Amino acid sequence: MTGRRQPTQPAVEAAIDAGCRTLRLPTMRARFGEVAAQAEREQLSYLGFLAELVMAECDDRTIRRTQRRLHAAGFPRSKRLDDFDFTANPVLNPALIGQLATSDWVRQGRPLCLIGDSGTGKRHLLISLGTAAAERGHSVRYVLAAKLVNELAEAADERQLARTIARYGRSDLLPIDELGYLQLDRRGAELLFQVLTEREERSAVAIASNEPFSGWTKTFTDPRLCAAIVDRLTYNGHIIETGTTSYRLAHARSLRPSASAQ
């Protein structure tokens, strides 16, 4: 009785390649030769080799998912907490920001308000905390306040408002930037209020505003709506004041040549 004929090396590689394509395992397909050679050098068992190959696929799949979440978030630029200079803004508590970076508040559906003047790091914190949330597996959707209100108004005119509000309600975290830069009429405020109500105590909202809450009546001209929106954004939430001193301006001034050097 003859033994089973062993397939040639090219046939084995072609079979693995085809199987990985069918099963959609791109990392296994790309690295099986490399991992096999490593397993041979280290004298790994068959199960050890298989474990190395499976873990490589899982690790790369996690990275790809994170990259997709970051892309879907729509951040205007990359910002990370590691790049934030806390020495330039001593008003901020690094330990508190580090705690927020764990994204427990996102999981709990709690709001976050970043309040301070321009140049104090609000956007950097908004984006970097949103990035941290996306990297921890949460879906994030960044939007400028004016863009959000305009999109809602267009959706209302086209009788698509419910669908648009539902879309903004699906993400785990909705960072709204530049709230308070533009005045909103009653309709705009009502539309924004509907989005906040959709997410209340269920999904997290983070906002960055250059106006203290006492000045929000300039943004939301209806006092009752203003009070209701502030309530939605502050109840059981975190309020971080980033101060009034622009470290961007201070940094720019530090780069200017002194009069004695001229």
Side-chain angles (χ1 to χ4, degrees):
M1 183 175 180
T2 59
R4 182 180 179 183
R5 182 181 178 183
Q6 294 295 321
T8 64
Q9 184 73 11
V12 169
E13 293 179 356
I16 294 174
D17 185 273
C20 288
R21 285 178 182 272
T22 300
L23 297 173
R24 298 181 181 179
L25 300 171
T27 302
M28 283 190 177
R29 175 173 169 262
R31 296 189 57 193
F32 72 84
E34 167 199 339
V35 176
Q38 179 184 349
E40 187 174 1
R41 288 194 305 270
E42 298 176 1
Q43 297 183 328
L44 294 181
S45 66
Y46 293 130
L47 289 178
F49 160 67
L50 181 60
E52 288 290 328
L53 199 56
V54 169
M55 289 308 299
E57 183 68 48
C58 290
D59 290 344
D60 278 6
R61 187 164 294 189
T62 297
I63 292 171
R64 292 194 299 271
R65 285 173 177 167
T66 299
Q67 291 172 339
R68 286 195 296 269
R69 284 193 298 270
L70 289 172
H71 178 74
F75 295 122
R77 59 187 62 86
S78 175
K79 297 284 186 180
R80 295 185 174 275
L81 283 179
D82 291 343
D83 303 324
F84 193 89
D85 185 4
F86 286 96
T87 62
N89 190 348
V91 171
L92 293 167
N93 181 346
L96 176 57
I97 302 302
Q99 180 184 358
L100 291 173
T102 65
S103 303
D104 285 345
W105 59 283
V106 177
R107 179 177 52 81
Q108 296 162 0
R110 300 172 63 182
L112 168 67
C113 297
L114 300 165
I115 309 294
D117 284 2
S118 297
T120 57
K122 299 186 305 299
R123 174 172 289 179
H124 192 138
L125 291 175
L126 188 71
I127 293 176
S128 58
L129 290 174
T131 297
E135 290 175 340
R136 288 181 176 271
H138 298 288
S139 58
V140 182
R141 186 184 183 91
Y142 169 95
V143 67
L144 296 175
K147 181 180 182 298
L148 172 58
V149 172
N150 288 337
E151 186 176 344
L152 292 170
E154 291 175 4
D157 292 340
E158 297 171 1
R159 298 184 179 179
Q160 298 292 322
L161 181 60
R163 180 179 300 179
T164 303
I165 290 176
R167 177 158 48 84
Y168 276 104
R170 281 195 292 268
S171 60
D172 298 326
L173 172 61
L174 178 65
I176 303 175
D177 204 356
E178 297 186 357
L179 187 64
Y181 282 73
L182 297 175
Q183 184 182 97
L184 299 179
D185 58 17
R186 181 180 178 84
R187 187 192 187 206
E190 287 176 343
L191 292 171
L192 178 60
F193 181 71
Q194 289 185 56
V195 171
L196 299 178
T197 300
E198 174 75 13
R199 302 182 60 84
E200 186 181 15
E201 296 188 44
R202 183 177 57 82
S203 302
V205 174
I207 65 101
S209 176
N210 64 332
E211 283 283 351
F213 294 121
S214 59
W216 279 26
T217 51
K218 291 183 290 185
T219 300
F220 306 104
T221 53
D222 184 291
R224 289 187 178 180
L225 267 175
C226 180
I229 288 172
V230 171
D231 179 71
R232 291 289 189 277
L233 290 173
T234 57
Y235 178 71
N236 200 32
H238 297 279
I239 301 173
I240 307 295
E241 295 183 355
T242 60
T244 58
T245 303
S246 170
Y247 69 80
R248 278 206 306 261
L249 180 59
H251 179 68
R253 286 173 174 170
S254 70
L255 297 178
R256 294 177 183 172
S258 62
S260 59
Q262 293 178 354

